[in-house]
């Protein structure tokens, strides 16, 4: 017997002896969900807690392919460099199986090359720039790991705002003149041209369109300009700027122009109380409120409230949906192999908390009737939120701010 042949015999014997034990050890190893988010914000806390809720529910049913799920969190703050460090920690040090998270588009865009290099599936639940998922079509083999479960991208958001302006503000309220203001950020730059064009083509006059620095704390000059513009309605685009300060200063100055639009921090369940009720009358774009958007909506909201004693913002349900989306893709693939799971993710067609989830060729969430849609929910007396648009999902009547009645 040659030395080489003897080594082969020994290797085969070792495989036969230890193979089942190794397979058992692998099956017993938890599946690591890496959550990367701005944990100091409710956006981030809800991402973490939504993911944990899904993990707990799935584990209670036996896990995925016989393996339990676990979670590791990295704080990306709102800084690109820290965002990159969070990805490296999760994929390099922690060796997670899948990534869930995202909030700031600039941070996620900085993270994408590092996600792609790690060859780890990434399910975005917070950043809206279409530039993120455009990279999938531009270079599929490199960026095929990138998916957006939510929110719908900023171009879809823009179209929904146009529908709100033309269908509701003009069509139902009879308004003709609007002002559009937003923070200086990448995702707003994507939105503004579409908003202005859509509003004008829909028969509205855009009397003012401006951006401002995200660090602004004195909105008095801007509010005075809006007041003098002749606008009948103010459409805002806010995410990183202080929605709290804006609402308080708008209310205290009794600006005779109602406002609404995309105001991310005003989606917080405690926003009305946080600003002392001064957001009354504001209409905030939302993705999930207590309404039968799908069979999963109310059960999720009830479970989240029971576990955490608060209502989630959109990243909470997004992370919850992302974990389930990954788990179901793995189940269909009958494997944790990344390429096999990607192929199944691409075929996703399932109910989620905000509608029905399907991905387009960019691995971006599809929007539209029967899929995922935008809700326009108004803050009313006592912190109640009422859906005023779209009409088919309306849960109450629109009100004006108290000083305009």
């Amino acid at each position: 017997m040659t030395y080489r042949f003897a080594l082969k015999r020994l290797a085969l014997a070792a495989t036969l002896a230890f193979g089942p034990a190794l397979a058992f050890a692998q099956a017993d190893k938890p599946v690591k969900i890496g959550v990367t988010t701005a944990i100091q914000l409710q956006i981030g806390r809800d991402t973490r807690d939504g993911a944990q809720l899904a993990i707990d529910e799935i584990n209670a049913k036996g896990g995925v392919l016989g393996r339990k799920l676990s979670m590791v969190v990295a704080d990306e703050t709102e800084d690109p460099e820290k965002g990159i460090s969070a990805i490296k920690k999760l994929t390099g040090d922690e060796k997670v199986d899948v990534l869930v998270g995202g909030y700031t588009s600039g941070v996620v865009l900085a993270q994408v090359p590092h996600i792609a290099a790690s060859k780890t599936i990434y399910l975005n639940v917070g950043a809206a720039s279409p530039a993120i998922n455009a990279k999938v079509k531009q270079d599929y083999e490199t960026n095929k790991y990138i998916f957006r479960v939510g929110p719908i991208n900023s171009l879809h958001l823009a179209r929904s705002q146009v529908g709100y302006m033309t269908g509701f503000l003009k069509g139902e309220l009879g308004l003709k003149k609007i002002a559009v203001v937003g923070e200086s950020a990448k995702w707003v730059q994507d939105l503004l041209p579409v908003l202005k064009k859509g509003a004008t083509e829909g028969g509205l006059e855009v009397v003012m369109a401006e951006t401002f620095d995200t660090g602004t704390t004195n909105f008095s000059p801007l509010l005075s300009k809006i007041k003098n513009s002749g606008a009948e309605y103010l459409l805002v685009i806010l995410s990183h700027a202080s929605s709290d300060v804006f609402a308080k200063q708008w209310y205290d100055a009794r600006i005779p122009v109602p406002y609404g639009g995309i105001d991310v921090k005003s989606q917080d369940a405690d926003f009305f109380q946080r600003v002392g009720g001064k957001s009354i009358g504001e209409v905030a774009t939302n993705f999930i409120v207590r309404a039968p958007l799908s069979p999963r909506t109310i059960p999720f909201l009830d479970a989240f409230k029971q576990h955490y004693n608060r209502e989630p913002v959109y990243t909470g349900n997004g992370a919850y949906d992302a974990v389930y989306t990954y788990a179901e893709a793995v189940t269909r693939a009958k494997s944790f192999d990344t390429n096999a799971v990607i192929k199944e993710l691409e075929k996703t067609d399932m109910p989620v908390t905000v509608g029905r989830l399907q991905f387009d060729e960019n691995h971006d969430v599809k929007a539209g009737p029967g899929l995922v849609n935008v809700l326009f929910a108004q803050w009313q007396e006592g912190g109640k939120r009422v859906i005023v648009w779209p009409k088919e999902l309306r849960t109450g009547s629109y009100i004006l701010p108290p000083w305009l009645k």
Side-chain angles (χ1 to χ4, degrees):
M1 181 185 295
T2 67
Y3 178 70
R4 182 176 296 177
F5 183 70
L7 284 177
K8 286 183 179 179
R9 290 279 302 269
L10 286 170
L12 177 61
T15 300
L16 292 173
F18 297 107
L22 290 171
F24 178 80
Q26 180 66 20
D28 195 48
K29 182 182 176 183
V31 180
K32 276 191 179 182
I33 311 291
V35 172
T36 171
T37 188
I39 205 69
Q40 75 278 13
L41 303 175
Q42 184 172 347
I43 288 280
R45 293 189 292 273
D46 284 2
T47 302
R48 174 197 64 197
D49 293 345
Q52 187 64 62
L53 179 60
I55 287 169
D56 291 344
E57 290 178 356
I58 291 168
N59 284 344
K61 297 174 185 175
V64 180
L65 300 186
R67 292 172 64 185
K68 294 297 180 73
L69 308 182
S70 65
M71 181 175 70
V72 183
V73 181
D75 188 1
E76 67 183 29
T77 69
E78 296 178 81
D79 177 78
E81 288 303 316
K82 290 182 180 176
I84 292 169
S85 296
I87 293 298
K88 288 182 175 179
K89 172 191 173 184
L90 292 173
T91 59
D93 299 341
E94 298 291 346
K95 293 181 172 48
V96 299
D97 296 281
V98 61
L99 294 161
V100 172
Y103 167 46
T104 306
S105 291
V107 172
V108 176
L109 284 165
Q111 291 172 326
V112 165
H114 302 276
I115 295 167
S118 74
K119 301 184 185 301
T120 306
I121 293 169
Y122 175 77
L123 303 175
N124 172 18
V125 301
S129 174
I132 297 166
N133 286 76
K135 294 180 180 296
V136 175
K137 190 174 180 181
Q138 291 164 4
D139 186 348
Y140 178 83
E141 278 307 314
T142 299
N143 298 309
K144 61 187 176 183
Y145 309 95
I146 310 297
F147 289 80
R148 183 181 356 242
V149 175
I152 62 174
N153 73 44
S154 54
L155 293 180
H156 289 316
L157 281 170
R159 295 184 191 107
S160 72
Q161 303 303 308
V162 170
Y164 171 70
M165 289 187 289
T166 58
F168 183 65
L169 299 181
K170 179 175 179 288
E172 294 196 20
L173 302 185
L175 306 182
K176 297 178 181 178
K177 297 180 179 182
I178 65 164
V180 182
V181 300
E183 63 192 23
S184 297
K186 174 70 175 72
W187 72 288
V188 178
Q189 293 166 8
D190 295 331
L191 276 172
L192 275 179
V194 182
L195 288 175
K196 291 166 67 176
K197 183 174 184 290
T200 302
E201 290 178 349
L204 287 160
E205 181 184 353
V206 181
V207 297
M208 174 182 169
E210 289 193 12
T211 59
F212 56 87
D213 187 82
T214 55
T216 300
T217 56
N218 180 12
F219 291 99
S220 296
L222 181 64
L223 289 169
S224 294
K225 195 169 182 179
I226 293 164
K227 180 179 178 180
N228 296 327
S229 69
E232 299 170 299
Y233 195 88
L234 169 62
L235 194 83
V236 297
I237 316 172
L238 311 173
S239 178
H240 308 287
S242 179
S243 302
D244 300 48
V245 173
F246 188 90
K248 290 174 181 178
Q249 293 182 4
W250 166 80
Y251 181 97
D252 291 342
R254 296 297 193 269
I255 300 299
V257 184
Y259 84 100
I262 303 172
D263 187 354
V264 174
K265 292 185 174 70
S266 78
Q267 295 179 23
D268 293 355
D270 68 345
F271 183 72
F272 188 86
Q273 286 74 26
R274 207 166 69 212
V275 299
K278 293 183 178 182
S279 63
I280 188 165
E282 181 197 3
V283 177
T285 297
N286 215 314
F287 296 98
I288 185 165
V289 294
R290 185 164 287 275
L293 307 176
S294 89
R296 293 191 175 190
T297 311
I298 304 301
F300 162 74
L301 289 173
D302 288 344
F304 194 98
K305 183 69 178 289
Q306 181 180 351
H307 277 71
Y308 306 115
N309 198 31
R310 68 179 189 274
E311 294 180 16
V313 295
Y314 67 96
T315 53
N317 66 272
Y320 178 88
D321 290 337
V323 173
Y324 267 104
T325 301
Y326 174 75
E328 294 196 20
V330 168
T331 301
R332 293 194 305 272
K334 299 178 182 178
S335 169
F336 289 95
D337 175 75
T338 298
N339 286 315
V341 175
I342 287 172
K343 291 302 180 187
E344 290 303 323
L345 282 171
E346 291 171 343
K347 301 173 188 175
T348 296
D349 183 4
M350 59 183 275
V352 289
T353 58
V354 290
R356 191 163 195 88
L357 179 64
Q358 295 176 4
F359 295 113
D360 66 16
E361 61 184 358
N362 290 329
H363 293 177
D364 211 342
V365 56
K366 290 184 179 180
L371 296 168
V372 176
N373 290 284
V374 174
L375 310 173
F376 292 82
Q378 187 179 43
W379 285 109
Q380 297 189 358
E381 287 286 353
K384 179 182 178 183
R385 282 189 283 193
V386 168
I387 299 174
V388 297
W389 186 261
K391 191 173 183 178
E392 63 271 17
L393 295 173
R394 185 171 291 159
T395 59
S397 300
Y398 175 81
I399 65 167
L400 287 169
W403 59 92
L404 290 179
K405 290 181 181 178

